Amino acid sequence: MDLVLRALLANQGKFISGAQIAEMVDLSRTAVWKRVQSLIENGYGIDCIKKKGYRLHTLPKDRLIPEKLSLLCSHPLEFFYKPEIDSTNLWAKEVMVRYSESSLFFTDKQYAGKGRLGRQWESAPGKDIAFSLGLRMNTDVCHYYQYTVLMALAVRNILASSLQNEVKIKWPNDIYINNKKICGILTEMITEENRLKTLIIGVGININSEPKLPQATSMKMVSGQEYDRHIILSEILNTFFKMREIMDTYGFSTLYEDWKKHLMGLFQSVRIDTGKYIVEGTLEDVNEQGIAVIRNGDHVEHVYSGDLFVS
Ligand code: BTN
């Protein structure tokens, strides 16, 4: 984390003297000056005025800035950022085996994003959000779906409040607006003897891109506006951690009921393509383990994974 940049960001739009920054970050004034020059070379707009100090006024466009994100996030997190990476989930898995803190892995360009069921996930470089939240825990594996539910609900709530649109959750954990997918979640876990030790919740959200696929949408396509990805991402994370606190204090059920209120196709006729066979019937429930309960007459089937279509 660049502490000089963090100090400038915390005072964005206002002057802060070199001496103040030097004291805050424990560097000499010359070292601060050198750091500021290198930020300017890297696209940051900074006024440097004698006797007044430095004022950050413009940030480089189309790239995420970990220092800005960390100022907006209210929960203590380790931030891991790379301008480009194959997949944040793969990266998180590598790092989390030897790391014990909750960590966020994010990038501006994910070139081999992983989707569910072995599919690929495309994110537009510099425009969308691709991140993986790594959480160390020690709980029974049966709780794994609860965290996906919390993340899906956090994303849904932030998209709904930013866009003023109806935002639905499609089993198992996709987010849809106007019947088009805007976000996918891929949760992976590292277990030891049936204990869930590390959870990696990978989230891809279409923000400022304009996806060509007819079944996909983005925040920009829905509202015609562009969004600051730091704000969207930090609001999602802050909401997720608030919900996690609620779950730890009061249990999962209220959050789960809230999640179900937004579930697409609940009590309606649906078809699930499991990849091996098709299940048709009424979506009666999705239980706390994430299993879809499909009724067809007297026959009830439990479906563990697949693609759901509302008839
Ligand atoms: C899906 O809908 O199939 C799930 C898509 C999950 C994509 C995200 S983007 C960030 C994280 N890294 C990955 O490689 N995949 C997830």
Side-chain angles (χ1 to χ4, degrees), residues 86-90 110 112-117 119-121 123 129-132 173-174 181 183-186 201-205:
D86 48 1
S87 150
T88 55
N89 265 35
L90 288 176
Q110 181 173 251
K114 293 195 328 164
R116 283 176 53 240
L117 308 168
R119 295 181 186 134
Q120 286 187 341
W121 178 263
S123 308
I129 292 180
F131 72 90
S132 300
N173 42 37
D174 292 341
K181 183 162 167 173
C183 164
I185 302 177
L186 176 67
I201 311 174
V203 183
I205 314 173

Side-chain angles (χ1 to χ4, degrees), residues 54-156:
Y54 304 107
R55 179 174 63 183
L56 174 64
H57 55 82
T58 336
L59 301 176
K61 215 178 164 302
D62 293 341
R63 62 152 294 196
L64 287 160
I65 298 159
E67 290 79 1
K68 176 167 177 182
L69 192 62
S70 80
L71 283 169
L72 293 167
C73 282
S74 47
H75 185 86
L77 264 180
E78 285 293 320
F79 292 87
F80 291 83
Y81 167 81
K82 280 190 187 175
E84 57 182 273
I85 186 89
D86 48 1
S87 150
T88 55
N89 265 35
L90 288 176
W91 184 24
K93 262 198 252 172
E94 260 168 53
V95 176
M96 288 304 290
V97 283
R98 53 193 150 81
Y99 211 76
S100 60
E101 305 294 326
S102 297
S103 307
L104 183 76
F105 299 82
F106 62 114
T107 185
D108 271 302
K109 184 175 176 188
Q110 181 173 251
Y111 52 83
K114 293 195 328 164
R116 283 176 53 240
L117 308 168
R119 295 181 186 134
Q120 286 187 341
W121 178 263
E122 306 272 347
S123 308
K127 301 218 172 289
D128 291 333
I129 292 180
F131 72 90
S132 300
L133 182 63
L135 300 172
R136 287 290 285 190
M137 48 183 71
N138 184 6
T139 183
D140 196 283
V141 281
C142 71
H143 295 128
Y144 120 94
Y145 193 66
Q146 297 180 348
Y147 293 87
T148 310
V149 164
L150 296 199
M151 184 56 85
L153 192 56
V155 173
R156 193 222 78 91

Side-chain angles (χ1 to χ4, degrees), residues 202-272:
V203 183
I205 314 173
N206 302 332
I207 308 279
N208 296 323
S209 62
E210 293 178 65
K212 298 274 172 298
L213 292 173
Q215 65 276 26
T217 192
S218 68
M219 288 184 79
K220 185 175 178 184
M221 282 171 90
V222 172
S223 71
Q225 287 173 33
E226 297 219 342
Y227 293 84
D228 182 336
R229 291 175 298 154
H230 302 89
I231 294 180
I232 304 294
L233 178 47
S234 61
E235 286 179 345
I236 290 170
L237 294 168
N238 293 344
T239 307
F240 172 86
F241 283 109
K242 247 184 252 152
M243 287 177 177
R244 187 184 174 172
E245 244 176 72
I246 295 174
M247 178 168 85
D248 292 346
T249 316
Y250 302 104
F252 180 56
S253 48
T254 325
L255 294 157
Y256 173 56
E257 289 309 319
D258 196 12
W259 175 84
K260 269 207 229 172
K261 273 188 214 145
H262 305 291
L263 198 58
M264 219 174 174
L266 189 62
F267 309 124
Q268 293 177 26
S269 288
V270 299
R271 184 166 56 87
I272 297 181

Side-chain angles (χ1 to χ4, degrees), residues 5 9 12-13 39-40 42-47 55-61 65:
L5 175 56
L9 279 164
Q12 199 175 339
L39 287 168
I40 293 171
N42 282 293
Y44 290 84
I46 303 171
D47 294 328
R55 179 174 63 183
L56 174 64
H57 55 82
T58 336
L59 301 176
K61 215 178 164 302
I65 298 159

Side-chain angles (χ1 to χ4, degrees), residues 18-52:
Q20 265 176 296
I21 303 180
E23 203 187 313
M24 279 162 78
V25 304
D26 201 16
L27 282 176
S28 69
R29 283 168 61 180
T30 317
V32 170
W33 182 83
K34 278 194 188 147
R35 189 64 212 126
V36 169
Q37 297 316 304
S38 128
L39 287 168
I40 293 171
E41 277 160 30
N42 282 293
Y44 290 84
I46 303 171
D47 294 328
C48 312
I49 297 188
K50 255 201 181 146
K51 299 222 166 83
K52 279 183 142 182

